[in-house]
Each structure stands twice: as structure tokens, then as C-alpha cells.
């Protein structure tokens, strides 16, 4: 009987738990490099030499290249053919010029997405907005910026225009990395930016729920125009 119970318990336990996958070397390397960039141990504009970093980590150069590609997707580094990889560096003027383009293009993405997205896709946008709000409430900056960017990226994707999506990814993603890199320089201003982002999300969702895509476009443009005005005080990029 005891054996039967033991076997039964084992079967039950096996149904509950699954194998834990070990964290990959690439994931650890991405995390360590990202932390070094955010902390300032690796400075903005600094060259990252794949061979040297591979030697320090004791891994192959190909693994470092894969990690840098992932970091580039998140805006932390910029890779140029034949020139290597540098930590992203934006001046205040760079950021303002990005916003000049963003103010014109991103509201279009919000308008198109509102017209084209089905109810299931729109629910995904709502869920991403809720996720970023939850992260903000928990004061988890990394999770907030990750989920808020995911919210915007999903809207870009739902616009149905791949050229618009690609342009916004190239322009906007480095700005989010910059917020994380510079977060210790103006914590109060950053906190207010998060509040504004949450309010912006709520207004967008309300406009979508009302079926008013032009209102969603207007809200997006107004929000981005305000964010541009605050760049010099809330986010002071590297010079």
C-alpha cells in the first residue's frame, strides 16, 4: 500500500513540475553587458571589441556577436559593418530630431492600428498596457520600459505598414535604452515621465474602445509633442 501511495505520489508530482531550463550563456552575457552599459562601466560611444570581450568571458567570439545583436535590437549598442560595435550615444539634438520625425509618423501607426486590428489583436494591446501599468506600480523600471515599448511595438505592427514599423523601430528603440542608461541622472523627471506614459496609454485604449481612431492619433501626437519639450529637463542625453 505504501509503495502504491509512493508511486501515486510520484506520478502526481511528475504531473505538477516540469524541468527547469538552465539560463543560457548568451542570456547571462547579454545581461552582464547590459548592466555594464546602464551602470556606466561601459561608456556611451565606447567601442566594444568582440575578441577582447570573448576572452574576458572565456567564450567564443560568435557567442559575443550573438549577444551584441540582441543588445542592438534593444537599442543599447549600434553595430556598423567593418567598423565594429559601439555603445549607443545620443546627444540632446539627436533625441530632439528623432522626436521631430516620431511626432509625424507614430500617430499614423496608432490611427492605422485602430482601423485594422481585430478584437483579439486589440486585446493584446490592452494587456500590454495593463502589464506596463502593473510594472510602474511595482516601481520596476526595467519591466515598465520593456512592457511599454512592447505596447508601442505591437501598435506599430498592427498598423499593417512594415516600412512604418521598421522606421519607428530604428528611431524609437534607442531612446528607450537611453532612458534606462540615464535613469540615475534625473529620477524625479523619469518618475513623471512614467506617469505621463501610463496616462497616455489609458487615453489611447479609451479612444480605441470608443472606435475613435482619430482621437487615438491626436492623443499620440499630443503626448509625443509634450515628451519632446521635456527632453532637456527630464532626459539629458550624453553630450
Amino acid at each position: 500500500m505504501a509503495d502504491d501511495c509512493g508511486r501515486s505520489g510520484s506520478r502526481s508530482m511528475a504531473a505538477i513540475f516540469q524541468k527547469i531550463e538552465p539560463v543560457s550563456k548568451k542570456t547571462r552575457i547579454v545581461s552582464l553587458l547590459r548592466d555594464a552599459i546602464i551602470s556606466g562601466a561601459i561608456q556611451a560611444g565606447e567601442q566594444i571589441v568582440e575578441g577582447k570581450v570573448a576572452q574576458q568571458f572565456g567564450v567564443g567570439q560568435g557567442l559575443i556577436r550573438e549577444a551584441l545583436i540582441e543588445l542592438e535590437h534593444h537599442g543599447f549598442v549600434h553595430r556598423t559593418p567593418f567598423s565594429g560595435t559601439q555603445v549607443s550615444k545620443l546627444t540632446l539634438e539627436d533625441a530632439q530630431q528623432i522626436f521631430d520625425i516620431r511626432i509625424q509618423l507614430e500617430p499614423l501607426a496608432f490611427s492605422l492600428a485602430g482601423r485594422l486590428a481585430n478584437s483579439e489583436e486589440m486585446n493584446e494591446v490592452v494587456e500590454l498596457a495593463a502589464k506596463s501599468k502593473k510594472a510602474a506600480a511595482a516601481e520596476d523600471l526595467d519591466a515598465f520600459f520593456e512592457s511599454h515599448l512592447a505596447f508601442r511595438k505591437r501598435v506599430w505592427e498592427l498598423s499593417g505598414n512594415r516600412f512604418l514599423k521598421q522606421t519607428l523601430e530604428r528611431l524609437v528603440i534607442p531612446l528607450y535604452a537611453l532612458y534606462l542608461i540615464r535613469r540615475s541622472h534625473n529620477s524625479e523627471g523619469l518618475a513623471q515621465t512614467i506617469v505621463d506614459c501610463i496616462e497616455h496609454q489609458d487615453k489611447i485604449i479609451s479612444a480605441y474602445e470608443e472606435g475613435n481612431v482619430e482621437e487615438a492619433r491626436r492623443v499620440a501626437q499630443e503626448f509625443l509633442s509634450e515628451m519632446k519639450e521635456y527632453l532637456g529637463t527630464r532626459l539629458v542625453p550624453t553630450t
Side-chain angles (χ1 to χ4, degrees):
M1 182 68 70
D3 288 343
D4 289 342
C5 289
R7 285 194 294 272
S8 175
S10 296
R11 286 195 297 273
S12 176
M13 192 69 72
I16 295 173
F17 296 107
Q18 297 179 351
K19 290 182 179 180
I20 298 175
E21 296 296 329
V23 177
S24 70
K25 282 186 178 180
K26 189 189 82 170
T27 299
R28 291 199 296 270
I29 291 169
V30 168
S31 179
L32 289 169
L33 286 172
R34 180 179 178 278
D35 289 347
I37 292 170
I38 289 175
S39 69
I42 304 178
Q43 295 288 322
E46 186 173 338
Q47 190 87 8
I48 297 179
V49 181
E50 292 179 4
K52 183 178 179 180
V53 175
Q55 186 176 24
Q56 291 177 351
F57 277 116
V59 299
Q61 191 167 327
L63 191 58
I64 299 300
R65 187 174 299 114
E66 290 178 14
L68 291 174
I69 290 172
E70 183 167 333
L71 286 169
E72 183 179 34
H73 289 160
H74 289 87
F76 287 97
V77 302
H78 176 68
R79 301 175 73 250
T80 305
F82 311 111
S83 298
T85 303
Q86 287 184 319
V87 177
S88 297
K89 180 178 181 180
L90 293 175
T91 65
L92 179 57
E93 183 179 4
D94 292 335
Q96 289 172 331
Q97 289 184 3
I98 288 173
F99 264 90
D100 283 339
I101 302 172
R102 189 182 177 190
I103 287 168
Q104 298 303 317
L105 293 184
E106 195 169 9
L108 173 60
F110 277 94
S111 177
L112 291 173
R115 290 188 173 91
L116 298 175
N118 58 40
S119 58
E120 183 178 347
E121 291 168 334
M122 194 55 67
N123 283 338
E124 293 176 14
V125 175
V126 173
E127 288 173 4
L128 287 169
K131 188 176 179 180
S132 65
K133 185 181 290 188
K134 182 178 179 181
E139 299 183 352
D140 186 339
L141 291 181
D142 286 356
F144 168 76
F145 280 111
E146 180 179 351
S147 54
H148 182 66
L149 179 57
F151 163 80
R152 308 192 82 86
K153 288 173 70 176
R154 186 60 177 137
V155 170
W156 304 342
E157 186 176 14
L158 292 174
S159 74
N161 188 316
R162 65 186 178 91
F163 298 103
L164 179 60
K165 172 180 174 288
Q166 291 169 0
T167 301
L168 288 170
E169 286 177 344
R170 183 175 180 84
L171 288 172
V172 177
I173 291 177
L175 285 174
Y176 277 78
L178 185 62
Y179 274 105
L180 288 172
I181 292 170
R182 303 293 292 174
R183 63 187 178 185
S184 63
H185 293 263
N186 188 356
S187 57
E188 184 177 342
L190 186 58
Q192 184 57 51
T193 295
I194 292 173
V195 170
D196 292 342
C197 287
I198 296 298
E199 182 180 348
H200 162 66
Q201 287 181 170
D202 288 345
K203 289 181 178 179
I204 290 290
I205 297 300
S206 293
Y208 282 155
E209 289 175 343
E210 294 169 2
N212 192 340
V213 295
E214 285 310 308
E215 174 64 8
R217 180 173 187 156
R218 186 197 67 77
V219 167
Q221 191 163 48
E222 181 180 69
F223 168 75
L224 293 170
S225 297
E226 290 176 355
M227 288 299 101
K228 183 191 174 186
E229 291 181 10
Y230 295 141
L231 279 175
T233 55
R234 291 190 188 173
L235 177 65
V236 184
T238 51
T239 56

